[in-house]
């Protein structure tokens, strides 16, 4: 079958620089999909990092965007999670890829959503909206996170219930994972919320933290810099609001060179 990519743009093939083969594609909703690619033999990364991914433009030049790797550092394949933006230069085309196609992946991983950028603590909050869940899909299947923290709370806020499918599946897979399943069953807590469709828990995570409802639901004390650490990944607005919430609670922002109490990264948007 001829895909939309092949009609209008030069295709990426096995000979294109940094080409990787697509292994499978899952469409979660009409706006969200995930895909996995073959991991290049020499490619190393830390769980939580991102790489540049893309296709060729009309002129045959790479058109690349940042994508968090959604698989742990030890896995043979690399998983990515993406929104479909109908007029987005990349995702309007990327969404049509199929098993056996090739895409470009630059093999230079970077990012601050890594355990090395956090000061040790007892409880770790992974706070995400939309496709911001992707780096946490990597971290949650890395045994290190369970060695470093007693409790890990994954929050995922989306507009509608259907958009929570990826994180719900992630939590199920993590709790049955041969490597981390047993410990994750004890330490991982999932806190999904919706904002525009009625569900068991509604509201923006920021509001639920500010009002104390989230902590009440979980039976946990309010955020404390003595015990808690936070990783944030979502829209620019959510990141800014969560950052303020953390700063107001006395948390310091961490980086690779200077670990802190919280770290944040913008989710891939279009
Ligand atoms: P809301 O529906 O109230 O805007 P989007 O699809 O726009 O990227 O949003 C994904 C989720 O993030 C939505 O549930 C949205 O809630 C929520 N969200 C957007 N902005 C913020 C913010 N500043 N703080 C917390 N959550 C936010």
């Amino acid at each position: 079958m001829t895909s939309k990519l092949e009609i209008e743009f030069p295709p990426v093939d096995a000979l294109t620089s940094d080409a990787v083969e697509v292994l499978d594609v899952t469409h979660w909703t009409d706006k969200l999909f995930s895909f996995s690619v073959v991991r290049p033999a020499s490619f190393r990364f830390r769980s939580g990092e991102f790489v540049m991914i893309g296709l060729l433009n009309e002129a045959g030049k790479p058109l690349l965007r940042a994508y968090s790797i959604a698989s742990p550092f030890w896995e043979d394949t690399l998983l990515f999670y993406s929104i479909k933006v109908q007029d987005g230069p990349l995702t309007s085309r990327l969404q049509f890829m199929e098993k056996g196609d090739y895409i470009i992946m630059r093999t230079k991983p970077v990012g601050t959503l890594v355990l090395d950028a956090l000061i040790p603590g007892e409880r770790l909050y992974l706070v995400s909206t939309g496709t911001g869940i992707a780096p946490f899909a990597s971290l949650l299947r890395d045994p290190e996170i369970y060695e470093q923290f007693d409790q890990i709370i994954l929050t995922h806020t989306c507009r509608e219930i259907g958009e929570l499918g990826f994180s719900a599946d992630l939590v199920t897979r993590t709790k049955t994972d041969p490597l981390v399943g047993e410990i994750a069953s004890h330490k991982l807590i999932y806190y999904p919320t919706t904002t525009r469709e009625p569900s068991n828990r509604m509201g923006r995570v920021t509001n639920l933290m500010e009002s104390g409802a989230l902590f009440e639901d979980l039976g946990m004390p309010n955020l404390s810099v003595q015990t808690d650490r936070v990783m944030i990944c979502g829209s620019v607005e959510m990141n800014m609001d969560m950052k303020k919430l953390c700063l107001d609670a006395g948390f310091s922002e961490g980086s690779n060179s200077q670990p802190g109490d919280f770290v944040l990264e913008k989710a891939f948007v279009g």
Side-chain angles (χ1 to χ4, degrees), residues 31 83 127-131 156-160 163 193-197 203-207 234-242 267 269:
K31 296 197 190 73
I83 195 165
V127 179
S128 65
T129 59
T131 54
H156 192 206
T157 302
C158 294
R159 297 179 182 200
E160 295 167 11
E163 296 166 321
T193 77
T194 58
T195 51
R196 305 208 187 178
E197 184 183 0
R204 290 182 167 194
V205 65
T206 43
N207 296 341
S235 65
V236 174
E237 295 75 24
M238 193 283 276
N239 284 3
M240 288 304 106
D241 289 352
M242 266 309 298
V269 280

